[in-house]
């Protein structure tokens, strides 16, 4: 029974630690490289509704509207969030301006004169209605008409828009979560392959190596019985979490977890290479580069021979799937598992 | 001075396969990716300002601007030394070119240009691009010319239509009635129709009842990049200009037929010689012009010699227009360098440049209601 308990807790700990590594790297990637993914998704989701091929694309008009443009960090960036009321105000004004655009006429001397007609508060509702009626038949027109059908004045119109926008944004948030989950799965796969973390090899090692199992069990009990451990982790900054992830990985390696690739050739493989490149020959630049290149090629061949098989690939896939479920998931399971065993959670500090 | 040929449409207005590869939509949604690519192009070969990567990096940078207004302002900055510089901005209707959908359709492009025109009413001379396949073409044309400040028309036959298309008759009538200038793309280069060929492409009807019936079925196996020359061929304008009501049409053949045609190196699909055809029209009809946009980058050799001779001809010299084809030209040179090297290479003095860029251009862009 102890063997199974130790095995499960240590395996859960491995999943948890790998999940933390993956989520930290994903957050680091998003904060540095893909920093606008939320903003781009918001833009794309609005584009889906307001880019009307039968009329025109109103999305850019919305984004150029001063109410929305002012929420951007700079002229290049896109806002990651938009307030419903701000969106409704901007949409109404964009449609009204579409219906009553700036006119340019020419004087008798042939000079252009720009005429911008004012829009008064009491005519906004009727102008919006005229703008919608003027549009060619399309899905967007139907949507805008549905706002009109549910309102009698501009206040109610904007309320109807806000209501639609908020529920649409709930769906957008759902899409975003799905996108992040997909991103996590790819990152997990990348990390698992990069670190050669094969689930079968790890599981076999945990089952057979008593010392490794015991060491990880102690770590798992320390982490799993502290119900606030994950919360305190999540309060760390991205850089701090990345540091934490590095140190966690170092802990796993120190305990002797079987992950990683072969990085040094053993004597049987190295001998022939050493013979072809004696030490004095390795001193010149070109022979040194050639030696390193051949050494690297041999390393790749040795690793491929040992690890590139169906079992390892399946082990990577299963490990990546488990890891992408996320640290909160594995922490919760670890925490519950320890509680069931009767270790009991450590009371939180007041 | 007036630059009679510029573009300010950004990548959002370009259909997805505008460049051949489906990348325009991606660049539209994440313009930073285009900038990053441009940066890497520069880093890969940092030793020259004229290498291919650098030139495409410049193109990517300008095209990935979020707003057309930003591109127009970049253009104006290049002409800061000319206090009354005016730019003819040619819009492009790419909705029917069979290269996928653009993030911003043509109407969106027009509305955005109209907004820029409202901000720069003096500096911008906006042209409306007419495509006979657009169902509500005349309604839109009347709305924008002159209601939203547009004062000219652009035709780009290589996008998949012939200039003698019967649907263009009301456009030509409207242009004659208001003395509107029409700029026609006329070069073997540039973007082209990428969709499937239809009966209207192979056996096209003509607006001129006296014109012989045409059958291009024999050319159907040509690649789209070659077939487009059939659309562009300036000889097709004979159908239009021969009609008495359109003899006074104000037409400008952009690029003067293009470098290959001027050098007589091109094997035109139809065998006609575009450069000579344009010159024939210029001599025969009172309002036919040609601009030297994009072609002006050749500042030596046969192209330069021939164009310079044309500029010195009393009749042709009064019908040649100065234009650059910004920002397509940033692939070759930056705008100020392009203009400077053109003036030096052609040995044009102030009076000669005045003739091309002020007198000729002003006459061409003037309409019944607008005089720059």
């Amino acid at each position: 029974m102890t063997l199974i308990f130790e095995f499960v807790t240590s395996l859960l700990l491995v999943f948890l630690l790998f999940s933390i590594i993956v989520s930290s790297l994903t957050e680091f990637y998003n904060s540095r490289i893909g920093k606008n993914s939320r903003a781009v998704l918001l833009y794309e989701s609005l584009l889906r509704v307001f880019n009307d091929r039968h009329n025109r694309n109103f999305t850019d008009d919305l984004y150029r509207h001063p109410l929305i443009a002012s929420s951007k960090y700079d002229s290049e960036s896109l806002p990651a969030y938009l307030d419903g009321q701000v969106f409704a105000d901007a949409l109404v004004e964009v449609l009204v301006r579409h219906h009553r655009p700036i006119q340019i006429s020419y004087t008798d001397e042939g000079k252009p004169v720009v005429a911008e007609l004012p829009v008064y508060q009491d005519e906004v509702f009727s102008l919006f209605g005229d703008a919608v009626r003027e549009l060619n038949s399309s899905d967007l027109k139907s949507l805008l008409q549905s706002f009109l059908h549910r309102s009698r004045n501009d206040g109610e119109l904007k309320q109807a828009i806000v209501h639609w926008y908020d529920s649409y944004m709930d769906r957008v948030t759902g899409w975003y979560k799905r996108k992040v989950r997909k991103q996590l799965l790819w990152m997990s796969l990348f990390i698992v392959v990069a670190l050669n973390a094969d689930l079968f090899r790890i599981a076999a090692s945990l089952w057979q190596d008593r010392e490794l199992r015991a060491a990880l069990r102690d770590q798992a009990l320390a982490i799993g019985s502290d119900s606030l451990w994950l919360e305190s982790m999540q309060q760390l900054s991205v850089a701090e979490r990345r540091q934490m992830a590095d140190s966690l990985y170092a802990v796993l390696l120190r305990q002797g977890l079987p992950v990683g690739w072969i990085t040094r050739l053993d004597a049987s493989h190295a001998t022939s290479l050493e013979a072809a490149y004696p030490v004095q020959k390795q001193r010149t630049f070109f022979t040194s580069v050639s030696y390193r290149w051949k050494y690297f090629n041999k390393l790749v061949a040795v690793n491929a021979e040992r690890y590139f098989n169906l079992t390892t690939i399946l082990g990577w896939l299963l490990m990546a799937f488990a890891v992408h479920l996320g640290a909160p998931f594995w922490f919760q399971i670890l925490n519950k598992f320890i509680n069931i065993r009767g270790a009991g959670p450590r009371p939180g500090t007041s | 001075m007036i630059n009679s040929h510029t573009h300010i449409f950004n990548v959002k207005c370009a259909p997805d396969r505008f460049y051949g590869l489906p990348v325009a939509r991606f660049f539209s949604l994440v313009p930073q990716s285009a900038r990053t690519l441009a940066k890497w192009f520069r880093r890969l070969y940092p030793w020259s300002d004229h290498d291919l990567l650098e030139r495409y990096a410049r193109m990517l940078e300008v095209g990935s601007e979020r707003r057309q207004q930003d591109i127009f302002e970049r253009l104006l900055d290049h002409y800061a030394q000319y206090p009354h510089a005016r730019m003819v901005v040619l819009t492009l209707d790419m909705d029917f070119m069979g290269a996928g959908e653009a993030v911003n359709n043509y109407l969106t492009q027009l509305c955005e240009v109209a907004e820029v025109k409202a901000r720069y009413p003096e500096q911008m001379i906006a042209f409306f691009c007419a495509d006979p396949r657009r169902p509500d073409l005349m309604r839109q044309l009347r709305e924008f010319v002159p209601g939203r400040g547009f004062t000219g028309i652009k035709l780009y036959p290589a996008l998949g239509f012939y200039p003698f298309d019967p649907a263009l008759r009301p456009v030509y009538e409207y242009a004659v009635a208001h003395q509107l200038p029409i700029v026609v793309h006329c070069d073997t280069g540039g973007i082209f129709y990428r969709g499937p060929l239809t009966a209207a492409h192979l056996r096209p009807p003509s607006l001129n009842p006296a014109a012989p019936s045409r059958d291009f079925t024999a050319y159907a196996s040509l690649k789209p990049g070659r077939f487009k020359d059939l659309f562009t061929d300036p000889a097709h304008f004979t159908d239009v200009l021969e009609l008495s009501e359109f003899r006074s049409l104000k037409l400008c053949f952009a690029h003067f037929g293009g470098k290959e045609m001027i050098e007589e190196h091109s094997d035109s699909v139809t065998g006609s010689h575009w450069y000579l055809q344009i010159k024939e029209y210029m001599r025969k009809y009172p309002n036919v012009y040609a601009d030297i946009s994009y072609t002006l980058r050749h500042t030596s050799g046969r192209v330069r010699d021939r164009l310079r001779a044309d500029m010195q001809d009393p009749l042709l010299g009064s019908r040649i227009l100065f234009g650059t084809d910004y920002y397509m030209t940033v692939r070759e040179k930056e705008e100020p360098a392009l203009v400077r090297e053109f003036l030096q290479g052609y040995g044009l003095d102030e009076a000669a440049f005045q003739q091309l860029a002020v007198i000729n251009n002003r006459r061409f862009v003037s309409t019944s209601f607008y005089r720059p």
Side-chain angles (χ1 to χ4, degrees), chain A residues 35-36 40 43-44 47 51-58 60-61 64 72 75-78 98 101-114 136, chain B residues 12 25 29-32 35 65-67 86 101-105 107-108 111-112 114-115 117-118 121-122 136 139 146-151 369-372:
Chain A
K35 57 185 170 187
N36 279 325
V40 170
Y43 179 75
E44 275 186 301
L47 205 60
N51 186 3
D52 182 0
R53 61 191 302 184
H54 303 287
N55 292 288
R56 58 178 285 206
N57 181 3
F58 291 101
D60 277 11
D61 291 339
R64 275 201 304 271
K72 294 196 291 189
S75 64
E76 287 301 304
S77 64
L78 295 168
H98 173 68
I102 298 171
Q103 293 291 322
I104 297 176
S105 55
Y106 291 88
T107 62
D108 290 343
E109 290 79 40
K111 300 293 167 213
V113 179
V114 179
N136 294 324
Chain B
K12 282 185 178 177
R25 189 177 169 82
L29 296 175
V30 195
Q32 291 95 327
R35 303 281 167 81
E65 286 283 11
R66 277 208 182 275
R67 305 178 306 165
R86 290 175 167 85
E101 215 172 307
V103 170
N104 284 351
N105 63 8
L107 182 59
T108 312
C111 291
E112 206 184 325
E115 280 171 29
K117 168 75 183 169
E122 294 285 348
D136 54 350
R139 188 185 63 77
R148 306 286 301 271
F150 285 57
T151 55
F369 53 87
Y370 170 60
R371 281 173 294 287

Side-chain angles (χ1 to χ4, degrees), chain A residues 1-293:
Chain A
M1 196 62 188
T2 317
L3 170 72
I4 293 172
F5 172 73
E6 280 182 358
F7 174 75
V8 173
T9 43
S10 50
L11 194 61
L12 287 173
L13 181 74
V14 170
F15 288 153
L16 173 66
L17 298 187
F18 267 91
S19 300
I20 290 170
I21 292 170
V22 166
S23 60
S24 303
L25 288 176
T26 308
E27 274 184 53
F28 182 73
Y29 167 83
N30 282 335
S31 67
R32 293 292 166 93
I33 302 160
K35 57 185 170 187
N36 279 325
S37 61
R38 178 72 173 83
V40 170
L41 185 73
L42 176 64
Y43 179 75
E44 275 186 301
S45 56
L46 290 177
L47 205 60
R48 207 179 284 188
V49 180
F50 293 97
N51 186 3
D52 182 0
R53 61 191 302 184
H54 303 287
N55 292 288
R56 58 178 285 206
N57 181 3
F58 291 101
T59 324
D60 277 11
D61 291 339
L62 283 166
Y63 273 72
R64 275 201 304 271
H65 191 283
L67 282 172
I68 292 177
S70 59
S71 66
K72 294 196 291 189
Y73 172 67
D74 57 35
S75 64
E76 287 301 304
S77 64
L78 295 168
Y81 297 94
L82 287 178
D83 177 65
Q85 192 58 50
V86 168
F87 176 82
D89 289 342
L91 179 63
V92 170
E93 279 185 38
V94 162
L95 260 294
V96 167
R97 275 284 157 225
H98 173 68
H99 177 63
R100 195 181 267 188
I102 298 171
Q103 293 291 322
I104 297 176
S105 55
Y106 291 88
T107 62
D108 290 343
E109 290 79 40
K111 300 293 167 213
V113 179
V114 179
E116 196 167 353
L117 292 173
V119 175
Y120 299 105
Q121 182 63 36
D122 56 348
E123 55 178 1
V124 167
F125 185 67
S126 66
L127 282 175
F128 185 87
D130 292 344
V132 174
R133 273 185 288 281
E134 194 187 61
L135 293 176
N136 294 324
S137 177
S138 69
D139 290 348
L140 177 63
K141 184 175 182 172
S142 306
L143 175 73
L144 297 173
Q145 274 171 336
S146 77
F147 298 150
L148 278 170
H149 294 157
R150 278 181 280 154
S151 43
R152 285 162 296 177
N153 54 46
D154 65 324
E156 286 181 11
L157 172 70
K158 285 179 184 172
Q159 234 10 74
I161 297 171
V162 170
H163 186 257
W164 169 83
Y165 177 80
D166 287 345
S167 65
Y168 187 57
M169 281 306 109
D170 287 345
R171 266 180 290 155
V172 172
T173 306
W175 297 335
Y176 184 63
K177 280 183 183 164
R178 238 167 45 200
K179 191 178 169 182
V180 168
R181 191 151 286 285
K182 219 183 263 178
Q183 204 180 21
L184 272 174
L185 186 60
W186 283 112
M187 184 62 92
S188 304
L189 199 59
F190 173 74
I191 297 294
V192 161
V193 175
L195 300 179
N196 189 13
D198 165 12
L199 179 60
F200 296 132
R201 196 154 59 106
I202 292 171
S205 184
L206 287 175
W207 186 259
Q208 288 155 6
D209 190 336
R210 200 172 148 211
E211 275 180 39
L212 170 67
R213 214 167 50 227
L216 291 185
R217 180 208 54 202
D218 292 344
Q219 288 264 353
L221 286 175
I223 290 173
S225 53
D226 180 358
S227 56
L228 299 175
W229 184 81
L230 190 70
E231 212 174 299
S232 59
M233 272 286 290
Q234 280 165 345
Q235 279 162 5
L236 297 176
S237 69
V238 173
E240 283 170 331
R241 248 187 282 175
R242 199 165 65 99
Q243 264 184 352
M244 172 71 94
D246 288 346
S247 62
L248 285 173
Y249 183 61
V251 168
L252 289 180
L253 286 186
R254 212 171 34 244
Q255 306 292 357
L257 197 75
V259 290
W261 298 91
I262 300 165
T263 53
R264 294 185 80 84
L265 291 176
D266 59 19
S268 63
H269 288 105
T271 316
S272 59
L273 204 60
E274 299 293 343
Y277 291 90
V279 177
Q280 54 279 43
K281 217 179 162 187
Q282 285 176 32
R283 282 189 193 137
T284 68
F285 176 75
F286 290 108
T287 47
S288 161
V289 168
S290 164
Y291 169 74
R292 279 161 204 268
W293 174 244

Side-chain angles (χ1 to χ4, degrees), chain B residues 33-282:
Chain B
S33 60
R35 303 281 167 81
T36 309
L37 192 64
K39 203 156 68 181
W40 278 102
F41 276 2
R42 290 213 164 94
R43 279 184 191 165
L44 281 173
Y45 195 78
W47 302 283
S48 162
D49 281 347
H50 301 293
D51 62 288
L52 191 72
L53 291 175
E54 169 70 28
R55 292 192 275 140
Y56 277 91
R58 285 201 294 255
M59 181 93 175
L60 274 173
E61 265 179 5
V62 182
S64 63
E65 286 283 11
R66 277 208 182 275
R67 305 178 306 165
Q68 295 189 71
Q69 184 177 327
D70 298 329
I71 301 179
F72 186 69
E73 285 166 356
R74 266 181 188 247
L75 173 62
L76 284 184
D77 288 346
H78 289 315
Y79 287 89
Q81 56 170 318
Y82 300 99
H84 301 295
R86 290 175 167 85
M87 304 293 142
V88 172
V89 170
L90 305 170
T91 56
L92 277 189
D93 184 350
M94 294 174 274
D95 287 0
F96 303 98
M97 71 179 279
E101 215 172 307
V103 170
N104 284 351
N105 63 8
Y106 178 54
L107 182 59
T108 312
Q109 183 195 149
L110 280 177
C111 291
E112 206 184 325
V113 171
E115 280 171 29
V116 186
K117 168 75 183 169
R119 283 177 191 157
Y120 295 95
E122 294 285 348
Q123 292 97 322
M124 179 190 273
I125 302 171
F127 275 41
F128 177 97
C129 185
D131 190 313
R133 290 164 293 182
R134 184 163 288 284
D136 54 350
L137 173 63
M138 284 313 293
R139 188 185 63 77
Q140 270 187 10
L141 178 63
R142 289 196 187 95
E143 184 191 333
F144 281 87
V145 186
R148 306 286 301 271
F150 285 57
T151 55
I153 294 168
K154 164 81 174 171
L155 290 179
Y156 204 113
L159 294 178
F161 63 90
Y162 297 96
F164 50 72
D165 192 308
L168 285 174
R169 175 177 270 280
V171 175
Y172 295 139
E173 285 169 352
Y174 193 69
V176 170
H178 297 278
Q179 296 164 33
L180 298 176
I182 300 178
V183 173
V184 188
H185 172 80
C186 191
D187 190 338
T188 48
I191 54 173
F192 52 86
Y193 177 68
R194 292 176 185 273
L197 294 175
T198 62
H201 292 127
L202 300 175
R203 285 179 296 280
S206 173
L207 52 74
N208 187 339
S213 63
R214 293 180 174 86
D215 190 344
F216 297 129
T217 317
Y219 301 103
S221 58
L222 287 176
K223 285 186 174 171
R226 287 281 286 154
F227 192 90
K228 70 157 194 311
D229 291 350
L230 281 172
F231 296 129
T232 311
D233 194 342
H236 293 327
F237 271 95
T238 306
D239 282 19
V240 182
L241 292 167
E242 269 185 356
L243 291 170
S244 58
E245 63 266 40
F246 298 143
R247 277 186 73 82
S248 61
L249 203 59
K250 208 192 287 181
L251 266 183
C252 168
F253 290 94
H255 320 298
F256 222 140
K259 171 190 178 262
E260 281 76 20
M261 289 292 173
I262 299 171
E263 281 184 332
E264 293 178 71
H265 286 156
S266 173
D267 50 338
S268 161
V269 171
T270 52
S272 71
H273 198 296
W274 299 0
Y275 168 65
L276 297 180
Q277 177 70 69
I278 294 167
K279 287 210 290 186
E280 193 189 316
Y281 284 150
M282 288 165 85

